[in-house]
Structure formats: C-alpha cells, structure tokens
Amino acid sequence: MSKFKFLFQPRSIAVVGVSDDANRPGSQVVRALVKNGYAGKIYPVNPKYDEFDGHKCFPAVLDIEDPGDLVVIGVPGQGAVAVLETCAKKQVKFVVILSGGFRESGPEGIALEQRMLEIAKAAGIRVPGPTCLGFANIHDGVYAAFGSITREPKLKKGGVSLVTQSGGFGYSIALGCAAAGIGFRHVVATGNESDIDTVQLIDALLDDDETRVIVAYLEGTRDGRALLEVGRRALALGKPILLWKAGITEQGAKAAASHTASMTGSYDFYKALFAQSGIIE
C-alpha cells in the first residue's frame, strides 16, 4: 500500500466544485467526509463562497497554502484539466477526477484525456479516474466519492475491499453486500483508468493488512500479464480475489465501450487467465 498510502489515508483533502446544490459531486464529497468523521483537514474550493458547511472556502487550489495529499475535482472536463494544472504547481500527490466528458464522449474527449494524462505524468501526480465515482476508505472515514455509498445506509467496517470499473454497478454490489452484513475496508471506482487501473489497485490492496478479501468488477484490462501475476500473488498470500467479468457478450462489450471506453477483450482469454491464477470468477 506504500505507493498509495496518501491516496487512501490523506492528511488533508481539497475538494473543487462545492456548491449549495447538494447533488453536485463536490458538495457530496465534503458532506460525506464530515458525516463520516474524517480526521484530516478539508479545503472546499469555489470562488463564489467564503465558507462551505462550516469550512473556509478557497477561490482556487492555488490559494491554499498547502493543499496536501489529495485533491478531488468535481467540475466538468475542460475545467478539471485546468484545475489539474494548478495541482501540478502545488505539487499535489493524488488527484481524483470525478468529472466526465473524456474519452467515453468521443474525439474531443480523447484529446482532453490525453492532455490530462500528460500534465499528471509531467508533475508526478497519480490520478484515479476520470469519469469515476471516487473511493472510500471506510475504516478512516475518507470519502472522496459521490453517489449511493455517501448516503444511508452507512457501510460497516470490515475486511473486504472492492475495486470496480463501474461505479454505479460496483456501489450497488457494496450496498447489497452490506445488507447481508458484510463490512468493507476500501471501495474504489476506477472509471476510465487513464493512469491508475484496477490491477494496480488490487496489487496494492494485497499488501493491506486490513484487507482479507478483494472483490473486483472488471470490464477489461490493458495488461493481462499483470492481472495473472496479481492473481498468483493473491493465491500465495491466501487472499481470495472474487472477480465479476463484464462484457462477456457482444451486447456487454458494447455497453462497456460506451460506458468508460473499455476494450473488453476475448472472454476465452480471461477464462484461461483465471484458471491459471486462482482468481475466482
């Protein structure tokens, strides 16, 4: 977990795009952090407000003396890339981009996502997303997320970590498991996976002492060999990986492509990989 320590356990979080509109992603993030007892500093960002939910509100990330380990961006695509440029100037470690309008939206979105990735790589910033619902570290009250897991019923603490390429579907899995009495360590929605992908996160979670079982919802991967090695490592560690493979039919593959532009690949390839690695489908 060392390379993702300050993603999952940030000492402070700046949230760009807060609003009086409770449905806005940024607003949901701040309120979820407060409600779930996040112990670090929270920096809401919007030039229209002096304060937000009892916290000083900053005009921009550049106006925060030390924005810290994590910035969560909840403004539309073009604006998100502009914010990322300011994060690079402030040497932020991780930026979660909740925004849509990237490669799943067509040629202009593809170019925008490529620009986003270039900025991040040049600055050494690691990026979950874009087009994602974010993540939650349930044990530490870190909710860099919006959507159903930020609302009641509250997820219980436990030893299951969930990594999902589809936030909506993955969050419904988490809530269904919670209704059955299962507790969670981390719940992570990866979206377009421009930078950090599902396989990298599973690999990191295998080193997390509090994670005993990993559940993954996977539309596709760009590195089958890495997935094979992660499966073998999980088997050696005695940490089961339960994987739901999406896009196994023609209709499913089309749905994945329209969702996060994921290339699903041959299902026979994945079945062979699971059999060789001990990943449980």
Side-chain angles (χ1 to χ4, degrees), residues 5 19 29 64 72 139 273:
K5 175 178 173 60
S19 164
V29 171
I64 306 170
V72 181
H139 288 211
L273 186 152

Side-chain angles (χ1 to χ4, degrees), residues 6 12 177 222 253:
F6 293 119
S12 59
C177 289
R222 55 184 175 237

Side-chain angles (χ1 to χ4, degrees), residues 183-198:
F184 285 87
R185 167 64 165 160
H186 296 289
V187 177
V188 189
T190 60
N192 286 13
E193 299 192 350
S194 296
D195 176 25
I196 300 173
D197 64 26
T198 295

Side-chain angles (χ1 to χ4, degrees), residues 3 26 49 81 118 137 166 174 180 194 203-204 262:
K3 61 184 175 183
Y49 303 99
V81 172
E118 289 169 358
N137 169 354
S166 167
S194 296
D203 188 48
S262 291

Side-chain angles (χ1 to χ4, degrees), residues 133 164-172 188-191 217-219 259-260:
L133 293 185
T164 174
Q165 286 181 327
S166 167
F169 190 77
Y171 281 8
S172 70
V188 189
T190 60
Y217 175 84
L218 187 74
E219 292 174 346
H259 174 224
T260 55

Side-chain angles (χ1 to χ4, degrees), residues 15-20 43-52 55-64 74-75 79 83 86:
V15 183
V16 181
V18 299
S19 164
D20 286 340
Y43 302 118
V45 177
N46 187 326
K48 296 179 181 178
Y49 303 99
D50 294 323
E51 72 91 34
F52 182 80
H55 296 270
K56 179 182 177 181
C57 197
F58 292 82
V61 172
L62 283 174
D63 297 305
I64 306 170
V75 297
V83 174
T86 67

